[in-house]
PDB file of all heavy atoms in Angstrom:
ATOM      1  N   GLU A  12      45.006 123.614  -2.405  1.00 97.00           N
ATOM      2  CA  GLU A  12      44.622 124.063  -3.737  1.00 97.00           C
ATOM      3  C   GLU A  12      45.701 123.831  -4.801  1.00 97.00           C
ATOM      4  O   GLU A  12      45.372 123.632  -5.977  1.00 97.00           O
ATOM      5  CB  GLU A  12      44.255 125.549  -3.702  1.00 97.00           C
ATOM      6  CG  GLU A  12      43.069 125.860  -2.798  1.00 97.00           C
ATOM      7  CD  GLU A  12      42.784 127.352  -2.641  1.00 97.00           C
ATOM      8  OE1 GLU A  12      43.067 128.113  -3.622  1.00 97.00           O
ATOM      9  OE2 GLU A  12      42.329 127.784  -1.569  1.00 97.00           O
ATOM     10  N   ALA A  13      46.975 123.874  -4.396  1.00 97.00           N
ATOM     11  CA  ALA A  13      48.053 123.737  -5.365  1.00 97.00           C
ATOM     12  C   ALA A  13      48.806 122.414  -5.256  1.00 97.00           C
ATOM     13  O   ALA A  13      49.556 122.047  -6.165  1.00 97.00           O
ATOM     14  CB  ALA A  13      49.044 124.885  -5.233  1.00 97.00           C
ATOM     15  N   GLY A  14      48.613 121.713  -4.155  1.00 97.00           N
ATOM     16  CA  GLY A  14      49.332 120.472  -3.972  1.00 97.00           C
ATOM     17  C   GLY A  14      50.815 120.684  -3.729  1.00 97.00           C
ATOM     18  O   GLY A  14      51.651 119.834  -4.078  1.00 97.00           O
ATOM     19  N   VAL A  15      51.146 121.806  -3.098  1.00 97.00           N
ATOM     20  CA  VAL A  15      52.531 122.102  -2.716  1.00 97.00           C
ATOM     21  C   VAL A  15      52.579 122.300  -1.205  1.00 97.00           C
ATOM     22  O   VAL A  15      51.839 123.114  -0.664  1.00 97.00           O
ATOM     23  CB  VAL A  15      53.063 123.376  -3.434  1.00 97.00           C
ATOM     24  CG1 VAL A  15      54.519 123.640  -3.025  1.00 97.00           C
ATOM     25  CG2 VAL A  15      52.983 123.213  -4.937  1.00 97.00           C
ATOM     26  N   ALA A  16      53.450 121.542  -0.549  1.00 97.00           N
ATOM     27  CA  ALA A  16      53.614 121.685   0.900  1.00 97.00           C
ATOM     28  C   ALA A  16      54.728 122.670   1.200  1.00 97.00           C
ATOM     29  O   ALA A  16      55.847 122.497   0.734  1.00 97.00           O
ATOM     30  CB  ALA A  16      53.907 120.316   1.527  1.00 97.00           C
ATOM     31  N   VAL A  17      54.410 123.725   1.936  1.00 97.00           N
ATOM     32  CA  VAL A  17      55.397 124.745   2.362  1.00 97.00           C
ATOM     33  C   VAL A  17      55.221 124.941   3.857  1.00 97.00           C
ATOM     34  O   VAL A  17      54.220 124.539   4.455  1.00 97.00           O
ATOM     35  CB  VAL A  17      55.225 126.056   1.592  1.00 97.00           C
ATOM     36  CG1 VAL A  17      55.372 125.855   0.094  1.00 97.00           C
ATOM     37  CG2 VAL A  17      53.871 126.721   1.910  1.00 97.00           C
ATOM     38  N   THR A  18      56.216 125.588   4.475  1.00 96.00           N
ATOM     39  CA  THR A  18      56.198 125.724   5.926  1.00 96.00           C
ATOM     40  C   THR A  18      55.839 127.136   6.368  1.00 96.00           C
ATOM     41  O   THR A  18      56.453 128.098   5.917  1.00 96.00           O
ATOM     42  CB  THR A  18      57.571 125.364   6.521  1.00 96.00           C
ATOM     43  OG1 THR A  18      57.958 124.061   6.048  1.00 96.00           O
ATOM     44  CG2 THR A  18      57.544 125.371   8.035  1.00 96.00           C
ATOM     45  N   PRO A  19      54.839 127.283   7.252  1.00 96.00           N
ATOM     46  CA  PRO A  19      54.517 128.596   7.772  1.00 96.00           C
ATOM     47  C   PRO A  19      55.654 129.181   8.599  1.00 96.00           C
ATOM     48  O   PRO A  19      56.337 128.459   9.334  1.00 96.00           O
ATOM     49  CB  PRO A  19      53.293 128.333   8.683  1.00 96.00           C
ATOM     50  CG  PRO A  19      52.836 126.962   8.367  1.00 96.00           C
ATOM     51  CD  PRO A  19      54.001 126.221   7.832  1.00 96.00           C
ATOM     52  N   GLY A  20      55.875 130.475   8.490  1.00 96.00           N
ATOM     53  CA  GLY A  20      56.922 131.114   9.261  1.00 96.00           C
ATOM     54  C   GLY A  20      56.709 131.103  10.739  1.00 96.00           C
ATOM     55  O   GLY A  20      57.660 131.337  11.528  1.00 96.00           O
ATOM     56  N   LEU A  21      55.495 130.826  11.191  1.00 92.00           N
ATOM     57  CA  LEU A  21      55.231 130.747  12.630  1.00 92.00           C
ATOM     58  C   LEU A  21      56.092 129.699  13.327  1.00 92.00           C
ATOM     59  O   LEU A  21      56.337 129.790  14.520  1.00 92.00           O
ATOM     60  CB  LEU A  21      53.729 130.434  12.874  1.00 92.00           C
ATOM     61  CG  LEU A  21      52.771 131.564  12.609  1.00 92.00           C
ATOM     62  CD1 LEU A  21      51.323 131.050  12.604  1.00 92.00           C
ATOM     63  CD2 LEU A  21      52.929 132.672  13.667  1.00 92.00           C
ATOM     64  N   ASP A  22      56.543 128.696  12.581  1.00 89.00           N
ATOM     65  CA  ASP A  22      57.444 127.695  13.154  1.00 89.00           C
ATOM     66  C   ASP A  22      58.733 128.358  13.646  1.00 89.00           C
ATOM     67  O   ASP A  22      59.290 127.949  14.661  1.00 89.00           O
ATOM     68  CB  ASP A  22      57.792 126.671  12.089  1.00 89.00           C
ATOM     69  CG  ASP A  22      57.580 125.227  12.570  1.00 89.00           C
ATOM     70  OD1 ASP A  22      57.185 125.032  13.726  1.00 89.00           O
ATOM     71  OD2 ASP A  22      57.802 124.308  11.770  1.00 89.00           O
ATOM     72  N   PHE A  23      59.198 129.382  12.927  1.00 96.00           N
ATOM     73  CA  PHE A  23      60.515 129.931  13.146  1.00 96.00           C
ATOM     74  C   PHE A  23      60.514 131.241  13.921  1.00 96.00           C
ATOM     75  O   PHE A  23      61.541 131.625  14.499  1.00 96.00           O
ATOM     76  CB  PHE A  23      61.204 130.140  11.795  1.00 96.00           C
ATOM     77  CG  PHE A  23      61.079 128.970  10.887  1.00 96.00           C
ATOM     78  CD1 PHE A  23      60.190 128.955   9.847  1.00 96.00           C
ATOM     79  CD2 PHE A  23      61.846 127.823  11.106  1.00 96.00           C
ATOM     80  CE1 PHE A  23      60.055 127.849   9.011  1.00 96.00           C
ATOM     81  CE2 PHE A  23      61.727 126.716  10.294  1.00 96.00           C
ATOM     82  CZ  PHE A  23      60.841 126.716   9.253  1.00 96.00           C
ATOM     83  N   ASP A  24      59.377 131.904  13.929  1.00 96.00           N
ATOM     84  CA  ASP A  24      59.278 133.216  14.587  1.00 96.00           C
ATOM     85  C   ASP A  24      57.837 133.426  15.039  1.00 96.00           C
ATOM     86  O   ASP A  24      56.997 133.886  14.270  1.00 96.00           O
ATOM     87  CB  ASP A  24      59.718 134.318  13.602  1.00 96.00           C
ATOM     88  CG  ASP A  24      59.835 135.687  14.258  1.00 96.00           C
ATOM     89  OD1 ASP A  24      59.269 135.877  15.365  1.00 96.00           O
ATOM     90  OD2 ASP A  24      60.507 136.567  13.677  1.00 96.00           O
ATOM     91  N   PRO A  25      57.527 133.093  16.303  1.00 94.00           N
ATOM     92  CA  PRO A  25      56.138 133.201  16.770  1.00 94.00           C
ATOM     93  C   PRO A  25      55.588 134.620  16.700  1.00 94.00           C
ATOM     94  O   PRO A  25      54.360 134.800  16.583  1.00 94.00           O
ATOM     95  CB  PRO A  25      56.209 132.720  18.217  1.00 94.00           C
ATOM     96  CG  PRO A  25      57.417 131.823  18.269  1.00 94.00           C
ATOM     97  CD  PRO A  25      58.391 132.455  17.312  1.00 94.00           C
ATOM     98  N   LEU A  26      56.435 135.641  16.746  1.00 94.00           N
ATOM     99  CA  LEU A  26      55.968 137.023  16.733  1.00 94.00           C
ATOM    100  C   LEU A  26      55.699 137.542  15.330  1.00 94.00           C
ATOM    101  O   LEU A  26      54.687 138.164  15.061  1.00 94.00           O
ATOM    102  CB  LEU A  26      56.962 137.929  17.450  1.00 94.00           C
ATOM    103  CG  LEU A  26      57.099 137.752  18.949  1.00 94.00           C
ATOM    104  CD1 LEU A  26      58.102 138.758  19.522  1.00 94.00           C
ATOM    105  CD2 LEU A  26      55.767 137.893  19.659  1.00 94.00           C
ATOM    106  N   ARG A  27      56.629 137.285  14.409  1.00 96.00           N
ATOM    107  CA  ARG A  27      56.519 137.852  13.059  1.00 96.00           C
ATOM    108  C   ARG A  27      56.222 136.816  11.996  1.00 96.00           C
ATOM    109  O   ARG A  27      56.017 137.169  10.826  1.00 96.00           O
ATOM    110  CB  ARG A  27      57.818 138.578  12.702  1.00 96.00           C
ATOM    111  CG  ARG A  27      58.142 139.756  13.633  1.00 96.00           C
ATOM    112  CD  ARG A  27      59.497 140.373  13.295  1.00 96.00           C
ATOM    113  NE  ARG A  27      60.590 139.428  13.558  1.00 96.00           N
ATOM    114  CZ  ARG A  27      61.876 139.700  13.322  1.00 96.00           C
ATOM    115  NH1 ARG A  27      62.237 140.863  12.828  1.00 96.00           N
ATOM    116  NH2 ARG A  27      62.812 138.803  13.596  1.00 96.00           N
ATOM    117  N   GLY A  28      56.193 135.551  12.373  1.00 96.00           N
ATOM    118  CA  GLY A  28      56.093 134.495  11.398  1.00 96.00           C
ATOM    119  C   GLY A  28      54.754 134.336  10.713  1.00 96.00           C
ATOM    120  O   GLY A  28      54.615 133.587   9.757  1.00 96.00           O
ATOM    121  N   GLY A  29      53.742 135.062  11.208  1.00 97.00           N
ATOM    122  CA  GLY A  29      52.444 135.055  10.539  1.00 97.00           C
ATOM    123  C   GLY A  29      52.511 135.640   9.142  1.00 97.00           C
ATOM    124  O   GLY A  29      51.599 135.420   8.334  1.00 97.00           O
ATOM    125  N   GLY A  30      53.565 136.369   8.871  1.00 98.00           N
ATOM    126  CA  GLY A  30      53.723 137.017   7.564  1.00 98.00           C
ATOM    127  C   GLY A  30      54.866 136.447   6.748  1.00 98.00           C
ATOM    128  O   GLY A  30      55.372 137.152   5.850  1.00 98.00           O
ATOM    129  N   THR A  31      55.327 135.214   7.027  1.00 98.00           N
ATOM    130  CA  THR A  31      56.424 134.638   6.277  1.00 98.00           C
ATOM    131  C   THR A  31      56.155 133.171   5.950  1.00 98.00           C
ATOM    132  O   THR A  31      55.391 132.500   6.651  1.00 98.00           O
ATOM    133  CB  THR A  31      57.767 134.733   7.058  1.00 98.00           C
ATOM    134  OG1 THR A  31      57.618 134.067   8.321  1.00 98.00           O
ATOM    135  CG2 THR A  31      58.186 136.184   7.273  1.00 98.00           C
ATOM    136  N   LEU A  32      56.827 132.690   4.911  1.00 98.00           N
ATOM    137  CA  LEU A  32      56.819 131.269   4.540  1.00 98.00           C
ATOM    138  C   LEU A  32      58.256 130.842   4.268  1.00 98.00           C
ATOM    139  O   LEU A  32      59.079 131.618   3.833  1.00 98.00           O
ATOM    140  CB  LEU A  32      55.993 131.037   3.250  1.00 98.00           C
ATOM    141  CG  LEU A  32      54.486 131.254   3.279  1.00 98.00           C
ATOM    142  CD1 LEU A  32      53.936 131.075   1.858  1.00 98.00           C
ATOM    143  CD2 LEU A  32      53.807 130.307   4.252  1.00 98.00           C
ATOM    144  N   ARG A  33      58.529 129.538   4.533  1.00 97.00           N
ATOM    145  CA  ARG A  33      59.787 128.974   4.141  1.00 97.00           C
ATOM    146  C   ARG A  33      59.569 127.959   3.045  1.00 97.00           C
ATOM    147  O   ARG A  33      58.708 127.073   3.167  1.00 97.00           O
ATOM    148  CB  ARG A  33      60.469 128.272   5.330  1.00 97.00           C
ATOM    149  CG  ARG A  33      61.905 127.789   4.982  1.00 97.00           C
ATOM    150  CD  ARG A  33      62.445 126.834   6.019  1.00 97.00           C
ATOM    151  NE  ARG A  33      61.818 125.516   5.931  1.00 97.00           N
ATOM    152  CZ  ARG A  33      62.181 124.458   6.671  1.00 97.00           C
ATOM    153  NH1 ARG A  33      63.141 124.576   7.556  1.00 97.00           N
ATOM    154  NH2 ARG A  33      61.564 123.305   6.503  1.00 97.00           N
ATOM    155  N   PHE A  34      60.340 128.076   1.981  1.00 98.00           N
ATOM    156  CA  PHE A  34      60.328 127.138   0.865  1.00 98.00           C
ATOM    157  C   PHE A  34      61.622 126.357   0.885  1.00 98.00           C
ATOM    158  O   PHE A  34      62.709 126.927   0.858  1.00 98.00           O
ATOM    159  CB  PHE A  34      60.209 127.867  -0.473  1.00 98.00           C
ATOM    160  CG  PHE A  34      58.966 128.711  -0.634  1.00 98.00           C
ATOM    161  CD1 PHE A  34      58.937 130.019  -0.193  1.00 98.00           C
ATOM    162  CD2 PHE A  34      57.824 128.165  -1.219  1.00 98.00           C
ATOM    163  CE1 PHE A  34      57.803 130.800  -0.348  1.00 98.00           C
ATOM    164  CE2 PHE A  34      56.692 128.939  -1.384  1.00 98.00           C
ATOM    165  CZ  PHE A  34      56.678 130.252  -0.936  1.00 98.00           C
ATOM    166  N   SER A  35      61.538 125.016   0.902  1.00 98.00           N
ATOM    167  CA  SER A  35      62.704 124.157   0.810  1.00 98.00           C
ATOM    168  C   SER A  35      62.890 123.728  -0.624  1.00 98.00           C
ATOM    169  O   SER A  35      61.935 123.408  -1.321  1.00 98.00           O
ATOM    170  CB  SER A  35      62.538 122.932   1.718  1.00 98.00           C
ATOM    171  OG  SER A  35      63.585 121.995   1.485  1.00 98.00           O
ATOM    172  N   TYR A  36      64.165 123.723  -1.070  1.00 98.00           N
ATOM    173  CA  TYR A  36      64.439 123.218  -2.426  1.00 98.00           C
ATOM    174  C   TYR A  36      65.434 122.070  -2.380  1.00 98.00           C
ATOM    175  O   TYR A  36      66.311 121.927  -3.224  1.00 98.00           O
ATOM    176  CB  TYR A  36      64.935 124.357  -3.334  1.00 98.00           C
ATOM    177  CG  TYR A  36      66.131 125.138  -2.841  1.00 98.00           C
ATOM    178  CD1 TYR A  36      67.431 124.740  -3.150  1.00 98.00           C
ATOM    179  CD2 TYR A  36      65.968 126.316  -2.110  1.00 98.00           C
ATOM    180  CE1 TYR A  36      68.528 125.480  -2.749  1.00 98.00           C
ATOM    181  CE2 TYR A  36      67.062 127.063  -1.702  1.00 98.00           C
ATOM    182  CZ  TYR A  36      68.343 126.639  -2.027  1.00 98.00           C
ATOM    183  OH  TYR A  36      69.437 127.385  -1.616  1.00 98.00           O
ATOM    184  N   ALA A  37      65.227 121.182  -1.408  1.00 97.00           N
ATOM    185  CA  ALA A  37      66.149 120.044  -1.222  1.00 97.00           C
ATOM    186  C   ALA A  37      65.829 118.860  -2.113  1.00 97.00           C
ATOM    187  O   ALA A  37      66.635 117.936  -2.205  1.00 97.00           O
ATOM    188  CB  ALA A  37      66.134 119.599   0.241  1.00 97.00           C
ATOM    189  N   ARG A  38      64.699 118.864  -2.773  1.00 95.00           N
ATOM    190  CA  ARG A  38      64.275 117.705  -3.538  1.00 95.00           C
ATOM    191  C   ARG A  38      64.804 117.749  -4.980  1.00 95.00           C
ATOM    192  O   ARG A  38      65.571 118.637  -5.357  1.00 95.00           O
ATOM    193  CB  ARG A  38      62.764 117.600  -3.529  1.00 95.00           C
ATOM    194  CG  ARG A  38      62.151 117.374  -2.117  1.00 95.00           C
ATOM    195  CD  ARG A  38      62.625 116.080  -1.517  1.00 95.00           C
ATOM    196  NE  ARG A  38      62.048 115.815  -0.216  1.00 95.00           N
ATOM    197  CZ  ARG A  38      61.064 114.952   0.007  1.00 95.00           C
ATOM    198  NH1 ARG A  38      60.553 114.266  -0.995  1.00 95.00           N
ATOM    199  NH2 ARG A  38      60.593 114.761   1.225  1.00 95.00           N
ATOM    200  N   ALA A  39      64.332 116.832  -5.785  1.00 96.00           N
ATOM    201  CA  ALA A  39      64.778 116.742  -7.174  1.00 96.00           C
ATOM    202  C   ALA A  39      64.432 117.980  -7.971  1.00 96.00           C
ATOM    203  O   ALA A  39      63.381 118.622  -7.700  1.00 96.00           O
ATOM    204  CB  ALA A  39      64.181 115.508  -7.835  1.00 96.00           C
ATOM    205  N   THR A  40      65.245 118.341  -8.936  1.00 97.00           N
ATOM    206  CA  THR A  40      65.021 119.556  -9.712  1.00 97.00           C
ATOM    207  C   THR A  40      63.692 119.536 -10.440  1.00 97.00           C
ATOM    208  O   THR A  40      63.006 120.565 -10.508  1.00 97.00           O
ATOM    209  CB  THR A  40      66.187 119.740 -10.719  1.00 97.00           C
ATOM    210  OG1 THR A  40      67.406 119.864  -9.976  1.00 97.00           O
ATOM    211  CG2 THR A  40      65.983 120.981 -11.577  1.00 97.00           C
ATOM    212  N   ALA A  41      63.283 118.386 -10.938  1.00 97.00           N
ATOM    213  CA  ALA A  41      61.977 118.311 -11.621  1.00 97.00           C
ATOM    214  C   ALA A  41      60.850 118.654 -10.668  1.00 97.00           C
ATOM    215  O   ALA A  41      59.861 119.306 -11.065  1.00 97.00           O
ATOM    216  CB  ALA A  41      61.792 116.910 -12.221  1.00 97.00           C
ATOM    217  N   ASP A  42      60.949 118.218  -9.413  1.00 97.00           N
ATOM    218  CA  ASP A  42      59.926 118.567  -8.429  1.00 97.00           C
ATOM    219  C   ASP A  42      59.901 120.062  -8.152  1.00 97.00           C
ATOM    220  O   ASP A  42      58.820 120.669  -8.014  1.00 97.00           O
ATOM    221  CB  ASP A  42      60.186 117.824  -7.126  1.00 97.00           C
ATOM    222  CG  ASP A  42      59.832 116.360  -7.176  1.00 97.00           C
ATOM    223  OD1 ASP A  42      59.165 115.941  -8.144  1.00 97.00           O
ATOM    224  OD2 ASP A  42      60.252 115.593  -6.286  1.00 97.00           O
ATOM    225  N   ILE A  43      61.074 120.671  -8.061  1.00 98.00           N
ATOM    226  CA  ILE A  43      61.137 122.114  -7.799  1.00 98.00           C
ATOM    227  C   ILE A  43      60.493 122.883  -8.952  1.00 98.00           C
ATOM    228  O   ILE A  43      59.703 123.821  -8.738  1.00 98.00           O
ATOM    229  CB  ILE A  43      62.597 122.582  -7.573  1.00 98.00           C
ATOM    230  CG1 ILE A  43      63.197 121.814  -6.373  1.00 98.00           C
ATOM    231  CG2 ILE A  43      62.652 124.066  -7.366  1.00 98.00           C
ATOM    232  CD1 ILE A  43      62.420 121.938  -5.099  1.00 98.00           C
ATOM    233  N   ALA A  44      60.804 122.508 -10.173  1.00 98.00           N
ATOM    234  CA  ALA A  44      60.232 123.164 -11.335  1.00 98.00           C
ATOM    235  C   ALA A  44      58.718 123.034 -11.352  1.00 98.00           C
ATOM    236  O   ALA A  44      57.970 123.996 -11.584  1.00 98.00           O
ATOM    237  CB  ALA A  44      60.842 122.620 -12.630  1.00 98.00           C
ATOM    238  N   GLU A  45      58.220 121.823 -11.062  1.00 98.00           N
ATOM    239  CA  GLU A  45      56.766 121.596 -11.020  1.00 98.00           C
ATOM    240  C   GLU A  45      56.135 122.386  -9.898  1.00 98.00           C
ATOM    241  O   GLU A  45      55.058 122.981 -10.051  1.00 98.00           O
ATOM    242  CB  GLU A  45      56.499 120.100 -10.853  1.00 98.00           C
ATOM    243  CG  GLU A  45      55.022 119.735 -10.606  1.00 98.00           C
ATOM    244  CD  GLU A  45      54.101 120.056 -11.778  1.00 98.00           C
ATOM    245  OE1 GLU A  45      54.601 120.227 -12.906  1.00 98.00           O
ATOM    246  OE2 GLU A  45      52.872 120.148 -11.540  1.00 98.00           O
ATOM    247  N   GLY A  46      56.791 122.409  -8.718  1.00 98.00           N
ATOM    248  CA  GLY A  46      56.260 123.173  -7.609  1.00 98.00           C
ATOM    249  C   GLY A  46      56.133 124.652  -7.908  1.00 98.00           C
ATOM    250  O   GLY A  46      55.115 125.295  -7.552  1.00 98.00           O
ATOM    251  N   LEU A  47      57.116 125.195  -8.587  1.00 98.00           N
ATOM    252  CA  LEU A  47      57.053 126.628  -8.930  1.00 98.00           C
ATOM    253  C   LEU A  47      55.914 126.897  -9.920  1.00 98.00           C
ATOM    254  O   LEU A  47      55.212 127.923  -9.819  1.00 98.00           O
ATOM    255  CB  LEU A  47      58.397 127.061  -9.524  1.00 98.00           C
ATOM    256  CG  LEU A  47      59.548 127.158  -8.518  1.00 98.00           C
ATOM    257  CD1 LEU A  47      60.872 127.288  -9.237  1.00 98.00           C
ATOM    258  CD2 LEU A  47      59.347 128.358  -7.584  1.00 98.00           C
ATOM    259  N   ASP A  48      55.713 125.987 -10.866  1.00 98.00           N
ATOM    260  CA  ASP A  48      54.575 126.136 -11.805  1.00 98.00           C
ATOM    261  C   ASP A  48      53.247 126.124 -11.038  1.00 98.00           C
ATOM    262  O   ASP A  48      52.347 126.934 -11.310  1.00 98.00           O
ATOM    263  CB  ASP A  48      54.594 125.008 -12.824  1.00 98.00           C
ATOM    264  CG  ASP A  48      55.692 125.178 -13.873  1.00 98.00           C
ATOM    265  OD1 ASP A  48      56.240 126.275 -13.986  1.00 98.00           O
ATOM    266  OD2 ASP A  48      55.988 124.181 -14.571  1.00 98.00           O
ATOM    267  N   ARG A  49      53.132 125.212 -10.102  1.00 98.00           N
ATOM    268  CA  ARG A  49      51.883 125.119  -9.315  1.00 98.00           C
ATOM    269  C   ARG A  49      51.679 126.377  -8.476  1.00 98.00           C
ATOM    270  O   ARG A  49      50.547 126.877  -8.342  1.00 98.00           O
ATOM    271  CB  ARG A  49      51.926 123.891  -8.412  1.00 98.00           C
ATOM    272  CG  ARG A  49      51.866 122.573  -9.161  1.00 98.00           C
ATOM    273  CD  ARG A  49      51.772 121.423  -8.175  1.00 98.00           C
ATOM    274  NE  ARG A  49      51.859 120.116  -8.826  1.00 98.00           N
ATOM    275  CZ  ARG A  49      51.607 118.973  -8.205  1.00 98.00           C
ATOM    276  NH1 ARG A  49      51.268 118.951  -6.910  1.00 98.00           N
ATOM    277  NH2 ARG A  49      51.708 117.820  -8.859  1.00 98.00           N
ATOM    278  N   LEU A  50      52.751 126.880  -7.877  1.00 98.00           N
ATOM    279  CA  LEU A  50      52.632 128.102  -7.069  1.00 98.00           C
ATOM    280  C   LEU A  50      52.206 129.270  -7.925  1.00 98.00           C
ATOM    281  O   LEU A  50      51.374 130.096  -7.513  1.00 98.00           O
ATOM    282  CB  LEU A  50      53.977 128.399  -6.395  1.00 98.00           C
ATOM    283  CG  LEU A  50      54.390 127.487  -5.245  1.00 98.00           C
ATOM    284  CD1 LEU A  50      55.834 127.752  -4.856  1.00 98.00           C
ATOM    285  CD2 LEU A  50      53.470 127.651  -4.024  1.00 98.00           C
TER     286      LEU A  50
END
């Protein structure tokens, strides 16, 4: 719906990760700003 790829927390914690997300900000600043607007 937003065109933003984020990582489910289940990758990192099979027990509690259903309630978490990981956001990476390793890309260009313009992409991060656009991603936050979309979110």
Side-chain angles (χ1 to χ4, degrees):
E12 298 175 31
V15 180
V17 301
T18 306
L21 286 168
D22 231 358
F23 313 103
D24 188 342
L26 292 182
R27 298 175 294 179
T31 57
L32 293 175
R33 187 194 73 175
F34 300 87
S35 171
Y36 55 88
R38 296 300 182 102
T40 299
D42 286 346
I43 300 305
E45 172 65 19
L47 288 167
D48 287 344
R49 293 186 186 190
L50 288 170

